[in-house]
Amino acid sequence: MNITTADFFCSYSSLNGLPSDGRPEIVFVGRSNVGKSSLLNSLCARRGLAKTSSTPGKTRLINYFLINDNLYFVDLPGYGYAKVGQGERESWGKLLTGYIQKRTEIALVVLLVDSRHPGMASDREMMEFLDYCGRPFGIVLTKWDKLKQAEKSKARRTIESCASKAKFIVNYSSLSGSGRDGLLASIDTFSQ
Ligand SMILES: Nc1nc2c(ncn2[C@@H]2O[C@H](COP(=O)(O)OP(=O)(O)OP(=O)(O)O)[C@@H](O)[C@H]2O)c(=O)[nH]1
Ligand SMILES: [Mg+2]
């Protein structure tokens, strides 16, 4: 898949009013600060398209990006951020699970897992939930550039042992763009 155009489309704070044009949606989910927005910018080769931050909890809305005029990349708020209040966390949780459960346009969920902490309970729960909802999902191990060689092998073994339902597992560095071609090819397969 070759991305020729990538534009911010719209942000939504609820499931009401999401686009109804039937374009397939590729959704990026994962813990807060795992690198979802950075991955999106790296894939689209557009720095600053999605807002990133070293502080968790940056993305607070459902953000739609129109890709090549024929599909959407969707950037979601992260889960597992302890510092937001309980009420806010619950409302994000409901938005996230409601979106994944109800949105029939979802063609693929890309679940981002921090390669330094593979196999966390919250990520395993998300995999179970995606499977329960019948959503095809693949895994991206983020921040791959931060790992030493021995850690890389260990991270792969750990994620492979707990992600048997994943359609693919890609090691990714948004800094260098390594993993980009492989991930774009996988996305292509699911967005037809
Ligand atoms: N070294 C390295 N840093 C990364 C990579 N991807 C993301 N980061 C950094 O991780 C931090 C969080 O990145 P974001 O893309 O904002 O994470 P997010 O998942 O969108 O976070 P929320 O919107 O808060 O849920 C930023 O400081 C990024 O620069 C990567 O591949 N390598
Ligand atoms: Mg974000």
Side-chain angles (χ1 to χ4, degrees):
M1 174 183 183
N2 188 18
I3 296 183
T4 50
T5 57
D7 296 294
F8 174 73
F9 185 75
C10 200
S11 292
Y12 305 89
S13 57
S14 80
L15 301 181
N16 303 326
L18 295 179
S20 54
D21 52 38
R23 289 184 177 103
E25 296 175 5
I26 311 292
V27 188
F28 298 87
V29 301
R31 290 175 61 82
S32 197
N33 210 239
V34 70
K36 297 174 294 297
S37 302
S38 303
L39 176 76
L40 220 133
N41 292 340
S42 164
L43 281 178
C44 299
R46 286 269 309 275
R47 202 173 295 171
L49 180 64
K51 303 244 173 1
T52 66
S53 167
S54 55
T55 316
K58 178 68 183 171
T59 307
R60 297 196 167 212
L61 298 166
I62 300 181
N63 295 312
Y64 273 63
F65 299 88
L66 181 58
I67 308 298
N68 292 352
D69 208 38
N70 57 15
L71 71 146
Y72 292 112
F73 281 179
V74 182
D75 188 19
L76 294 179
Y79 51 84
Y81 178 39
K83 284 197 184 141
V84 297
Q86 170 121 8
E88 197 174 358
R89 205 161 55 229
E90 276 173 13
S91 67
W92 286 5
K94 279 199 191 120
L95 189 65
L96 178 67
T97 53
Y99 171 79
I100 289 170
Q101 245 171 339
K102 294 188 193 132
R103 192 70 180 156
T104 52
E105 286 83 350
I106 296 175
L108 174 71
V109 176
V110 179
L111 173 61
L112 284 73
V113 172
D114 191 323
S115 56
R116 297 165 300 173
H117 311 288
M120 288 183 76
S122 55
D123 292 330
R124 291 206 310 270
E125 280 161 22
M126 180 52 78
M127 288 185 230
E128 276 171 29
F129 180 64
L130 293 170
D131 187 41
Y132 165 78
C133 297
R135 299 290 179 219
F137 70 94
I139 291 189
V140 166
L141 286 174
T142 64
K143 310 191 185 183
W144 195 245
D145 54 278
K146 288 187 182 254
L147 268 60
K148 300 195 180 76
Q149 194 52 49
E151 295 170 327
K152 289 182 177 175
S153 318
K154 190 161 175 248
R156 278 299 298 210
R157 279 200 305 277
T158 307
I159 200 73
E160 280 163 19
S161 70
C162 63
S164 57
K165 300 276 169 56
K167 303 286 183 196
F168 56 82
I169 301 174
V170 172
N171 315 324
Y172 206 103
S173 167
S174 293
L175 276 191
S176 69
S178 77
R180 184 174 182 270
D181 293 347
L183 181 56
L184 284 174
S186 296
I187 289 175
D188 209 17
T189 308
F190 285 90
S191 54
Q192 301 303 323

